[in-house]
């Protein structure tokens, strides 16, 4: 007997055997038992998920001569003929090759006659979206009033190409991709029935390749079974599918995240030497980093990932070694690399370049951690200054604190907007902050109760400065601080100035400082001038600022800086602080 491909051998002969699609199957069976089957049905979904299979099952059930309405007997003449593919009352039409108006006219002529043997004539049009507009129009009238002895079943992979006039006359069934676990279980059942020994890992590789399509998976199984016989090793599967073993991606991801360029190139060379497809490799590597990101941000990543427990454990372990920001950056660098690869005459170089960029990018540290480190550094500078430069120093100094440079953050300035001197000052601001830090600041004193916000604001800033160094210069950016009942209202000129303070942990800290200092449990409220155009800053001025920002964002220097650092412009500060000399 000739070899029957698995897809035909395992084609479901009744509804219980359908893999996946439980919701659609239940609806169809209900329609059959209640005798409420629509005369025009449309099955949509990606290839190989069971559209024509379900249409044939419906045909069988409708014309079956015995048994339950939703359980075709597979024994009567009609069932046997449909299974064999020679039922006279079942017309299967391929929409791709019979797409013209002439074919539809012939079809319409044909359905005028009663079925030859069965109860109904059943017309299945596969890939129905391929029909011409005229053909659809010719069909429309029939669909409006279908003869009682005719059922139309359409199948399509491209639902959006079906005219709305047709859609509205059909009962629609959308078929989903079959879930990974269900596919793998199905393949395991087939392997068992075919007496083929194959590992779970290998079945999962095939399941992943199938991407939710039963037919695709079965044709892969066919290839693998005929390649490996009754004993199939994981290597066989890797070879037949042209896969790169997933462990390679694990090793590569580890090397990338460890900034080990030499290691990356070695691993890459190994797989390249083994003859992998470059595009495929880049795609799968991207998929791996996507999995890492998902594992990082989701508490139950398995919902989104088609992975075995073992693979998931490896993914989680690697994801734990890097920050979310780092994983995101690697993902976007690799994405860029693989896109460049598509258009490059030297795709291998493009991908290697992406490795170079990624290993050089290093790890991204969240801003909060950086601030913590900055504080540590500043405190360190303080104690160093105290112990070496000014070993003797009064415990309480009466000297006024020197004003801090207004803006300690590092900014990108356009070359045209600042005089040279100002630029140097700005560049040094972070350093000068540390220097100022070593100088005399009133060492705090237990705050008396009932202080007024306005009057003692500067003192408060000093108080904060001793406790959370970075917060003080930010508070100094505050244009006005005042008390409004239980609220401590801080007014800022620029929303980006107070963004950091608004972060949950920082806000909590600030409120705690305010409670300690003012002896009042304030709720800190931020007001930004830009958000309330009525308070200062006329329309023209606001417009001018916008224009200036746009110019700055497009400035070549800024663009070069963002390119070099692989970053993006987060906020642009303009206005008196950066323009005044
Ligand atoms: Zn039957």
């Amino acid at each position: 007997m000739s070899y029957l491909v698995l897809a035909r051998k395992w084609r479901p002969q009744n509804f219980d055997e359908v893999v996946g699609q439980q919701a659609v199957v239940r609806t169809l069976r209900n329609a059959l038992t209640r005798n409420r089957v629509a005369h025009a049905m449309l099955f949509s979904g990606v290839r190989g998920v069971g559209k024509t299979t379900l249409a044939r099952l419906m045909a069988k059930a409708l014309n079956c001569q015995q048994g339950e309405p939703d359980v075709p007997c597979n024994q009567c003449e009609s069932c046997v003929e449909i299974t064999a593919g020679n039922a006279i009352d079942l017309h299967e039409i391929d929409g791709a090759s019979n797409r013209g108006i002439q074919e539809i006219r012939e079809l319409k002529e044909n359905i005028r006659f009663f079925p030859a043997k069965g109860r109904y004539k059943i017309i299945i049009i596969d890939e129905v979206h391929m029909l011409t507009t005229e053909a659809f129009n010719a069909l429309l009238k029939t669909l409006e009033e279908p003869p009682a002895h005719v059922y139309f079943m359409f199948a399509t992979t491209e639902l959006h190409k079906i005219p709305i006039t047709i859609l509205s006359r059909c009962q629609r069934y959308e078929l989903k991709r079959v879930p990974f676990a269900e596919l793998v279980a199905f393949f395991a059942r087939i392997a068992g029935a075919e007496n083929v020994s194959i590992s779970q890992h290998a079945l999962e590789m095939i399941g992943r390749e199938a991407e939710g399509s039963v037919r695709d998976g079965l044709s892969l199984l066919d290839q693998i079974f005929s390649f490996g016989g009754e004993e199939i090793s994981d290597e066989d599967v890797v070879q037949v599918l042209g896969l790169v073993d997933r462990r390679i991606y694990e090793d590569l991801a580890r090397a990338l995240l460890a900034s080990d360029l030499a290691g990356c190139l070695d691993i890459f060379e190994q797989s390249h030497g083994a003859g992998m497809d470059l595009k495929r490799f880049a795609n799968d590597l991207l998929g791996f980093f996507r999995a890492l990101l998902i594992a990082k941000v989701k508490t139950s990543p398995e919902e989104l990932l088609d992975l075995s427990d073992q693979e998931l454990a490896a993914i989680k372990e690697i994801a734990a070694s890097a920050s979310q920001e780092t994983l995101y950056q690697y993902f976007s660098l690799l994405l860029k690399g693989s896109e460049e690869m598509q258009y490059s005459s030297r795709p291998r170089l493009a991908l290697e370049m992406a490795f170079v960029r990624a290993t050089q990018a290093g790890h991204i540290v969240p801003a909060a951690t950086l601030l913590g480190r900055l504080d540590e550094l500043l405190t360190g500078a303080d104690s160093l200054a105290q112990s070496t430069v000014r070993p003797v120093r009064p415990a309480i100094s009466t000297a006024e604190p020197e004003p801090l440079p207004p803006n300690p953050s590092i900014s990108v300035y356009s070359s045209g907007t600042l005089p040279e001197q100002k630029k140097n000052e700005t560049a040094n601001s972070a350093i000068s902050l540390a220097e100022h830090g070593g100088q005399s600041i009133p060492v705090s004193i237990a705050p008396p109760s009932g202080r007024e916000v306005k009057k003692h604001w500067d003192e408060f800033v000093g108080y904060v400065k001793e406790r959370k160094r970075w917060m003080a210069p930010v508070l100094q950016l505050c244009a006005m601080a005042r008390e409004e009942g239980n609220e401590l209202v801080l007014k800022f000129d620029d929303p980006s100035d107070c963004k950091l303070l608004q972060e949950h942990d920082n806000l909590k800290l600030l409120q705690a400082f305010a409670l300690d200092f003012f002896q009042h449990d304030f709720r800190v409220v931020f007001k930004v001038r830009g958000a309330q155009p009525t308070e200062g800053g006329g329309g023209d001025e606001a417009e001018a600022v916008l224009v200036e920002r746009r110019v700055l964002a497009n400035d070549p220097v800024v663009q070069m800086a963002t390119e070099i650092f692989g970053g993006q412009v987060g906020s642009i500060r303009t206005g008196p602080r950066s323009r005044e000399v």
Side-chain angles (χ1 to χ4, degrees):
M1 190 188 147
S2 64
Y3 180 72
L4 196 60
V5 293
L6 292 172
R8 283 198 57 193
K9 193 168 173 183
W10 286 81
R11 175 170 292 153
Q13 300 304 338
N14 59 56
F15 289 106
D16 287 332
E17 291 171 12
V18 175
V19 183
Q21 320 304 350
Q22 286 86 351
V24 171
V25 167
R26 195 185 317 133
T27 317
L28 291 175
R29 293 183 82 155
N30 281 340
L32 283 167
T33 43
R34 290 177 198 161
N35 201 14
R36 296 181 63 117
V37 180
H39 280 262
M41 284 174 262
L42 174 65
F43 299 92
S44 63
V46 297
R47 64 182 194 284
V49 289
K51 298 181 295 293
T52 47
T53 296
L54 281 177
R56 282 196 204 110
L57 276 177
M58 284 303 280
K60 232 185 218 182
L62 286 167
N63 268 349
C64 182
Q65 293 151 1
Q66 58 196 52
E68 299 292 315
D70 63 335
V71 185
C73 72
N74 284 311
Q75 285 164 356
C76 69
E77 193 185 1
S78 166
C79 283
V80 171
E81 281 179 1
I82 290 178
T83 306
N86 53 20
I88 196 162
D89 293 320
L90 174 63
H91 300 262
E92 283 199 51
I93 298 165
D94 174 19
S97 47
N98 300 286
R99 55 197 303 263
I101 190 162
Q102 193 51 41
E103 283 89 354
I104 298 299
R105 279 194 187 131
E106 281 166 23
L107 179 69
K108 285 173 80 171
E109 190 60 28
N110 181 306
I111 59 176
R112 284 175 49 222
F113 303 103
F114 282 101
K117 282 185 179 173
R119 256 170 292 172
Y120 305 107
K121 271 199 174 167
I122 290 151
I123 318 294
I124 298 179
I125 305 184
D126 199 8
E127 301 298 345
V128 69
H129 61 270
M130 298 291 279
L131 295 190
T132 62
T133 312
E134 292 75 24
F136 272 128
N137 286 338
L139 204 55
L140 209 54
K141 191 84 189 140
T142 317
L143 288 184
E144 257 170 15
E145 288 165 24
H149 64 275
V150 176
Y151 282 93
F152 284 97
M153 299 183 197
F154 304 129
T156 180
T157 46
E158 300 186 52
L159 189 62
H160 60 279
K161 289 189 180 166
I162 313 279
I164 189 82
T165 44
I166 299 285
L167 283 183
S168 64
R169 286 169 175 83
C170 295
Q171 191 92 266
R172 278 151 63 182
Y173 301 96
E174 285 179 37
L175 276 62
K176 305 265 185 295
R177 287 180 194 273
V178 179
F180 176 68
E182 244 173 285
L183 264 188
V184 173
F186 178 53
F187 297 158
R189 210 158 67 230
I190 293 179
E194 303 279 324
N195 284 321
V196 174
S197 127
I198 182 169
S199 75
Q200 177 72 13
H201 179 65
L203 290 171
E204 282 163 2
M205 282 193 268
I206 300 164
R208 208 166 6 250
E209 281 301 294
E211 292 187 335
S213 163
V214 181
R215 191 170 60 228
D216 283 8
L218 288 179
S219 83
L220 291 175
L221 266 192
D222 267 327
Q223 286 179 47
I224 289 158
F225 285 2
S226 52
F227 178 88
E230 291 181 352
E231 288 285 336
I232 288 163
S233 69
D234 293 3
E235 285 70 36
D236 291 342
V237 176
V238 167
Q239 205 179 332
V240 172
L241 299 185
L243 285 178
V244 172
D245 196 308
R246 213 168 163 82
R247 278 159 281 202
I248 297 277
Y249 298 116
E250 292 173 14
D251 292 343
L252 192 53
R254 283 200 182 93
L256 276 170
L257 290 170
S259 300
D260 172 14
L261 180 59
C264 285
L265 296 178
D266 278 348
I267 296 166
F268 183 50
E269 175 55 37
Q270 278 170 29
S271 343
H272 195 257
M276 53 68 166
D277 175 64
L278 209 54
K279 279 184 185 170
R280 177 70 204 260
F281 182 83
N283 241 332
D284 288 354
L285 183 62
L286 258 183
F288 192 84
F289 268 87
R290 170 182 174 268
L292 288 177
L293 252 179
I294 290 173
K296 189 82 190 176
V297 299
K298 265 191 77 86
T299 39
S300 43
E302 54 277 7
E303 289 166 10
L304 286 181
L305 300 171
D306 291 342
L307 293 173
S308 67
D309 293 345
Q310 204 184 348
E311 290 166 341
L312 193 66
I315 294 257
K316 279 183 175 166
E317 177 233 306
I318 298 171
S321 73
S323 72
Q324 186 182 325
E325 289 81 359
T326 304
L327 290 176
Y328 169 72
Q329 194 191 16
Y330 276 65
F331 181 77
S332 67
L333 283 171
L334 289 173
L335 180 64
K336 198 173 165 214
S338 77
E339 279 168 2
E340 283 169 0
M341 223 181 79
Q342 314 287 328
Y343 306 105
S344 173
S345 55
R346 293 174 181 162
R348 182 181 169 162
L349 282 185
L351 194 57
E352 283 175 341
M353 219 28 233
F355 293 159
V356 173
R357 277 194 219 113
T359 48
Q360 280 184 350
H363 285 235
I364 297 178
V365 183
T369 315
L370 274 181
L371 286 171
R373 282 192 205 160
L374 185 62
D375 265 347
E376 278 168 28
L377 277 176
L378 292 175
T379 319
D382 254 3
S383 53
L384 198 68
Q386 278 173 20
S387 60
T388 58
V389 184
R390 279 178 294 275
V392 185
R393 187 182 151 184
I396 297 173
S397 165
T398 47
E400 281 295 306
E402 285 199 27
L404 286 170
N407 181 9
S409 64
I410 299 161
S411 312
V412 182
Y413 286 103
S414 129
S415 57
T417 48
L418 287 174
E420 205 54 40
Q421 184 208 349
K422 182 67 192 176
K423 252 198 276 181
N424 290 340
E425 256 183 65
T426 315
N428 288 333
S429 64
I431 300 158
S432 55
L433 180 66
E435 285 167 2
H436 282 291
Q439 291 187 10
S440 41
I441 296 151
V443 175
S444 171
I445 325 145
S449 59
R451 282 176 158 162
E452 288 170 41
V453 170
K454 254 187 185 164
K455 213 161 144 191
H456 295 97
W457 179 249
D458 289 345
E459 275 175 62
F460 174 64
V461 174
Y463 176 83
V464 171
K465 186 175 172 188
E466 283 163 39
R467 283 152 185 84
K468 206 72 193 167
R469 197 90 199 203
W470 65 264
M471 210 179 258
V474 181
L475 286 175
Q476 279 176 333
L477 294 175
C478 173
M480 195 172 70
R482 65 163 183 268
E483 200 176 329
E484 284 181 13
N486 276 332
E487 291 183 347
L488 174 57
V489 180
L490 306 182
K491 220 162 139 190
F492 283 86
D493 288 339
D494 191 315
S496 57
D497 287 345
C498 55
K499 209 171 159 196
L500 210 53
L501 287 179
Q502 285 170 305
E503 282 178 12
H504 179 259
D505 289 350
N506 297 335
L507 185 63
K508 245 170 80 179
L509 200 59
L510 181 59
Q511 296 195 143
F513 288 150
L515 174 63
D516 288 346
F517 188 84
F518 296 113
Q519 297 291 304
H520 192 111
D521 195 5
F522 283 123
R523 200 169 71 85
V524 176
V525 175
F526 295 93
K527 284 199 173 157
V528 180
R529 189 173 62 163
Q532 294 161 306
T534 44
E535 294 181 39
D540 286 350
E541 199 187 326
E543 178 63 22
V545 168
L546 272 180
V547 171
E548 191 180 351
R549 285 179 188 203
R550 224 171 288 137
V551 171
L552 280 172
N554 293 323
D555 187 286
V557 178
V558 178
Q559 300 216 326
M560 197 193 297
T562 51
E563 177 69 31
I564 290 170
F565 294 114
Q568 55 185 16
V569 178
S571 69
I572 298 171
R573 298 171 178 209
T574 58
R577 262 183 311 102
S578 50
R579 271 192 261 115
E580 73 190 358
V581 179

